[in-house]
């Protein structure tokens, strides 16, 4: 009897590691899936419509400047797809931080290291994916500005 109770108490707990791993998996799903699913469910407006709308706003701004009137930008509503993407990004980062926190707590409480490492890796991966999308967007914007600046002779 005493040998079986000694082996039961020697097994480290897994509770925080498992919860952290689940939070990490959810964070990874929230980081990756919206970039594929949201454009399919809520397609963005066509490029020609965006170009025409931007042209109208620039024309209105120039006319207001010529008249000496302050330009009043029209209120633009967020699309449903954009709000879903923003919500998914916030959820991914939050769940990723939760997974990292739970993995640290699992290590402090001397739980199983493998599950703590899995939770930390999943949480860090979800945060890294979100940061990479921001960096890719910034690089694309810099490339567009460079091309436009090169065309008008700024560089």
């Amino acid at each position: 009897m005493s040998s079986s109770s000694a082996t039961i108490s020697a097994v480290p707990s897994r509770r925080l590691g498992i919860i952290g791993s689940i939070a990490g998996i959810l964070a990874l799903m929230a980081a990756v899936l919206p970039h594929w699913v949201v454009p399919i469910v809520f397609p963005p407006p066509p490029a020609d419509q965006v170009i025409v709308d931007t042209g109208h706003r620039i024309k209105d701004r120039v006319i207001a400047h010529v008249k000496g009137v302050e330009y009043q930008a029209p209120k633009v509503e967020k699309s449903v797809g954009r709000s879903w993407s923003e919500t998914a990004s916030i959820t991914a980062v939050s769940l990723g931080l939760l997974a990292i926190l739970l993995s640290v707590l699992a290590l402090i409480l001397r739980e199983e290291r493998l599950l703590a490492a899995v939770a930390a890796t999943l949480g860090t991966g979800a945060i890294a994916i979100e940061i990479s999308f921001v960096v890719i967007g910034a690089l694309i914007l810099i490339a567009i500005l460079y091309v436009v600046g090169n065309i008008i002779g700024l560089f």
Side-chain angles (χ1 to χ4, degrees):
M1 278 267 169
S2 65
S3 65
S4 65
S5 65
T7 56
I8 291 174
S9 64
V11 175
S13 175
R14 296 178 163 191
R15 181 177 298 138
L16 289 176
I18 291 173
I19 295 171
S21 296
I22 291 171
I25 289 171
L26 292 175
L28 205 56
M29 288 173 51
V32 173
L33 287 180
H35 296 287
W36 293 329
V37 174
V38 170
I40 293 171
V41 176
F42 305 107
D48 57 349
Q49 180 184 357
V50 173
I51 292 170
V52 168
D53 291 343
T54 304
H56 285 299
R57 283 194 307 246
I58 291 172
K59 180 183 79 169
D60 293 341
R61 182 172 288 178
V62 169
I63 290 173
H65 181 70
V66 168
K67 289 182 179 179
V69 181
E70 184 178 339
Y71 175 71
Q72 297 292 328
K75 299 283 184 180
V76 179
E77 292 183 22
K78 284 186 184 178
S79 67
V80 177
R82 184 173 178 184
S83 64
W84 273 95
S85 292
E86 290 174 359
T87 304
S89 293
I90 292 169
T91 303
V93 172
S94 300
L95 286 173
L97 289 173
L98 179 65
I100 293 170
L101 174 72
L102 289 172
S103 71
V104 169
L105 289 175
L107 288 175
I108 290 172
L109 296 175
R110 300 178 189 248
E111 289 190 2
E112 189 173 328
R113 289 179 181 241
L114 179 63
L115 286 174
V118 167
T121 304
L122 289 171
T124 305
I127 294 171
I129 287 172
E130 285 300 319
I131 291 172
S132 70
F133 281 119
V134 171
V135 169
I136 289 171
L139 289 175
I140 290 172
L141 180 65
I142 289 170
I144 290 171
L145 290 175
Y146 181 75
V147 168
V148 170
N150 200 13
I151 290 172
I152 62 175
L154 289 177
F155 299 112

